[in-house]
Amino acid sequence: MFAKIKTGLFAATALSVAAPVLAEEVNLYSYRQPELIKPLTDAFTAETGIKVNVAYLQKGMVERLQAEGMRSPADLVLTVDISRLAAVVDAGLTQPVESDTLNNNVPEQYRDPEDHWYGLTTRARVVYASKDRVAEGEVTTYEDLADPKWNDRICIRSGTNAYNVALTSAVIHHHGEEGAKTWLEGIKSNLARKPQGNDRAQVKAIWAGECDISIGNTYYMGKMLEDEEQKEWADSVQILFPVFENGGTHVNISGVAMTKSAPNKDNALKMMEFLTSPAAQEVYAEANYEYPIAAGTDAIELVEGWGTFTADDVNLMTLAGHRPAALRITEEIDFDG
Ligand code: FE
């Protein structure tokens, strides 16, 4: 770490003798919120002297990068969900990055086989179950959620939401398209109400007695506990970690990729290596109640307290490949209707 700082300072000093100093910097386009990113960018700057500029985007990352072309100031993109990472990669807007450090920090299933993106944290898509109306161990598999015993008891957000499309993609991976269609039809027929709202709204519906179980991402438990009104919803449920009959628990990631046009490539690589470092992963994970992914890292105690699980070991790029079929099936059976 010290060596890096010294090199950075030395380079800047040496430059200043010969030419006006160009500040060392790196530019991020982020779909993730400032409160998640700021602690990391501050730490990176403190360690390396490299200034980090962040543009926070709500949507339209692909369109913006396309419009800017090779003149784009962006070096790195930060986002959640494999579908969003894959969209930037598929549009030809990223470049492969080869680095032993990255490969050591990020387990194989959470990085692109072609080196275009690297995962930083995971979140599991799990079952939120009423503490009163669902017994411990009553939900064990995703397949089981399609069983008629759950008739009129499940709440879920839109089937076309990226989180649900990724889950359906995982079902395709395990059971093929026909199997996934049957599964999704089973879920639909078990719904207590039409898909609506976000993941937290489903937990509210359990609290209100409208349904007994819902599907949601793990970190929302932490978010609800933070909120005075939502804490009651959170307290009415427990997280159960289903697995696929022949696999593990479905997870998705947040990740980082280097743009094809990166003007500050060396600094961008340093930032990627920093972000994937076990210490940075833990800081990043803590900010959003997620799981760091490097070997030997842990989530915070609250998150660990929700239970342990084995993540499904499919490479997320495989799931991204099933996305079009997952969306098609969802629309074919009119899941939201
Ligand atoms: Fe979310």
Side-chain angles (χ1 to χ4, degrees):
M1 294 301 167
F2 274 125
K4 268 192 193 163
I5 294 175
K6 278 186 187 155
T7 316
L9 286 176
F10 178 76
T13 312
L15 257 179
S16 67
V17 177
V21 183
L22 284 174
E24 287 287 332
E25 60 182 6
V26 63
N27 302 318
L28 283 181
Y29 281 6
S30 174
Y31 272 142
R32 304 212 81 189
Q33 302 116 359
E35 64 266 26
L36 301 182
I37 305 300
K38 188 92 175 42
L40 288 172
T41 55
D42 287 351
F44 177 70
T45 302
E47 191 177 303
T48 63
I50 298 167
K51 185 171 177 247
V52 186
N53 307 302
V54 190
Y56 294 99
L57 310 182
Q58 302 282 359
K59 55 183 179 182
M61 179 139 15
V62 167
E63 292 75 11
R64 179 158 170 177
L65 289 170
Q66 276 170 334
E68 291 169 345
M70 292 309 277
R71 295 182 319 277
S72 175
D75 295 297
L76 297 174
V77 298
L78 271 179
T79 183
V80 290
D81 205 90
I82 184 58
S83 64
R84 285 176 150 182
L85 281 168
V88 183
V89 173
D90 290 347
L93 297 165
T94 56
Q95 62 177 301
V97 178
E98 276 174 48
S99 149
D100 289 342
T101 303
L102 293 177
N103 289 343
N104 287 334
N105 287 343
V106 182
E108 209 174 339
Q109 82 202 82
Y110 300 130
R111 50 181 152 92
D112 180 19
E114 317 253 301
D115 304 323
H116 280 260
W117 54 262
Y118 290 84
L120 299 171
T121 57
T122 62
R123 60 273 300 284
R125 194 144 184 80
V126 295
V127 164
Y128 283 86
S130 163
K131 281 180 182 166
D132 299 334
R133 302 185 297 278
V134 180
E136 189 85 41
E138 215 179 325
V139 180
T140 53
T141 67
Y142 292 101
E143 288 86 348
D144 181 63
L145 298 174
D147 189 287
K149 78 177 177 211
W150 297 111
N151 184 38
D152 215 20
R153 297 176 70 189
I154 301 180
C155 281
I156 192 169
R157 74 195 301 170
S158 167
T160 61
N161 172 268
Y163 302 151
N164 282 338
V165 174
L167 177 60
T168 303
S169 301
V171 181
I172 293 176
H173 170 71
H174 286 283
H175 298 286
E177 289 185 24
E178 272 312 302
K181 192 173 176 180
T182 306
W183 179 80
L184 210 51
E185 282 168 336
I187 301 275
K188 184 183 175 181
S189 65
N190 285 340
L191 295 182
R193 59 177 193 178
K194 281 187 186 181
Q196 58 195 274
N198 55 24
D199 279 357
R200 279 185 256 196
Q202 317 312 317
V203 178
K204 182 184 183 185
I206 295 174
W207 167 78
E210 278 187 78
C211 32
D212 295 341
I213 59 176
S214 72
I215 297 173
N217 288 350
T218 39
Y219 56 87
Y220 287 117
M221 180 62 110
K223 300 262 206 190
M224 287 186 291
L225 290 170
E226 255 177 20
D227 182 294
E228 217 175 296
E229 186 197 353
Q230 298 174 5
K231 189 177 178 303
E232 263 191 82
W233 314 346
D235 287 338
S236 75
V237 295
Q238 61 175 322
I239 284 181
L240 305 176
F241 291 91
V243 293
F244 284 104
E245 278 165 6
N246 294 310
T249 298
H250 171 66
V251 301
N252 210 316
I253 53 167
S254 74
V256 61
M258 191 186 292
T259 64
K260 192 177 196 169
S261 55
N264 305 290
K265 205 174 155 178
D266 292 348
N267 292 345
L269 174 59
K270 278 186 199 152
M271 176 116 214
M272 285 177 93
E273 292 181 342
F274 172 82
L275 288 173
T276 61
S277 68
Q281 282 183 25
E282 286 187 336
V283 171
Y284 197 34
E286 173 171 3
N288 196 41
Y289 307 101
E290 293 179 272
Y291 301 92
I293 55 185
T297 55
D298 291 308
I300 57 170
E301 221 174 290
L302 172 72
V303 173
E304 296 285 341
W306 299 334
T308 54
F309 64 97
T310 304
D312 208 21
D313 65 0
V314 58
N315 184 286
L316 289 173
M317 212 51 174
T318 306
L319 296 192
H322 291 310
R323 182 179 160 78
L327 259 177
R328 179 170 41 73
I329 290 168
T330 305
E331 277 158 12
E332 254 169 38
I333 69 157
D334 192 21
F335 185 79
D336 289 354

